[in-house]
Amino acid sequence: FMESQHHLGSAVHASILAAYAALILGIRWISGPLFRWIDRLFFREAYSTEQVMAELADNVRTVVEPGELFSTLGQRLSQALHIEQIAFFLSGDHGFQPAYALGTTAAAFNADSAPVRRLAAEREPIQLFLDDDQCWCYHQDVAPADRDHLVQLGTQVLLPFTSNRGLVGFASLGPKRSQEPYSRNDLRLLQSIANQAGLALENG
């Protein structure tokens, strides 16, 4: 009787091990294609975004009417990077006036405001981290009204449009719907788009 129990226990133990092994193999069999599908989807999305933005940089230079330019940029950037809040500002006699806005309300920036001076000096995309009290937007030289305006816009990136005449306009880009930060590649492509937009504004 004891020997029979021993054999029964061994059989149960072997069955459990076999079931566990089958489960592991099943998970691997299912997860393998699943992970490969996720990888392909992510790569395709990343490639599609880069392709759209690269094409946008090539096409922007041919648009010389500011309203059409900002409308095109706003719609395409919103689609490519999944941004819901975008605002464009154009240099004028009374500072930088809002020229186009998507998902937000914009007001003018004075020509001598800290954000404008910083954009004119750096001539490249500037990131803002509004939840970090060490961010440059909390420095003493930034007027509270300008800071409040950036908060209202949900600004995470300021994108300058420059030409031989200097800063001719800029864009405020809000957060992505994914809440992911802007990557170095995003900023590189945005810089390329901004360069062409600056030339188009100068020609316009």
Side-chain angles (χ1 to χ4, degrees):
F1 175 76
M2 295 294 291
E3 186 176 351
S4 297
Q5 280 190 324
H6 176 71
H7 286 306
L8 180 60
S10 297
V12 170
H13 184 67
S15 298
I16 292 173
L17 288 176
Y20 181 74
L23 178 63
I24 295 298
L25 290 174
I27 291 173
R28 288 182 177 178
W29 183 80
I30 294 172
S31 63
L34 176 63
F35 288 142
R36 286 194 295 273
W37 177 79
I38 291 173
D39 286 343
R40 285 197 302 271
L41 180 65
F42 177 79
F43 176 78
R44 187 162 57 246
E45 173 73 12
Y47 174 75
S48 176
T49 298
E50 182 161 348
Q51 184 180 36
V52 167
M53 293 180 67
E55 291 173 355
L56 184 58
D58 287 336
N59 295 334
V60 157
R61 74 184 72 180
T62 64
V63 183
V64 296
E65 202 282 316
E68 182 184 354
L69 174 65
F70 291 144
S71 175
T72 300
L73 280 175
Q75 296 295 334
R76 297 301 295 276
L77 288 177
S78 177
Q79 293 169 4
L81 294 176
H82 309 293
I83 311 168
E84 295 182 342
Q85 294 173 284
I86 302 177
F88 293 90
F89 300 85
L90 187 62
S91 177
D93 294 334
H94 303 286
F96 285 79
Q97 302 293 326
Y100 179 86
L102 181 67
T104 188
T105 302
F109 281 91
N110 291 330
D112 62 348
S113 66
V116 169
R117 293 199 311 271
R118 193 178 185 96
L119 285 166
E122 298 194 15
R123 301 173 69 94
E124 63 183 18
I126 299 174
Q127 289 185 277
L128 279 81
F129 303 95
L130 295 172
D131 57 350
D132 182 1
D133 59 8
Q134 300 300 312
C135 176
W136 65 267
C137 59
Y138 294 106
H139 293 176
Q140 291 183 351
D141 65 332
V142 180
D146 290 330
R147 186 182 307 116
D148 291 344
H149 192 187
L150 293 170
V151 171
Q152 177 189 336
L153 293 169
T155 307
Q156 288 197 355
V157 171
L158 288 173
L159 184 65
F161 304 139
T162 60
S163 72
N164 292 330
R165 294 186 285 124
L167 185 69
V168 293
F170 66 92
S172 164
L173 307 181
K176 299 179 182 179
R177 284 200 297 269
S178 65
Q179 299 300 315
E180 288 294 317
Y182 287 81
S183 67
R184 289 183 180 178
N185 196 49
D186 291 337
L187 298 177
R188 177 181 62 81
L189 290 168
L190 288 169
Q191 176 71 71
S192 178
I193 291 170
N195 291 341
Q196 300 304 324
L199 291 175
L201 289 172
E202 183 177 41
N203 293 333

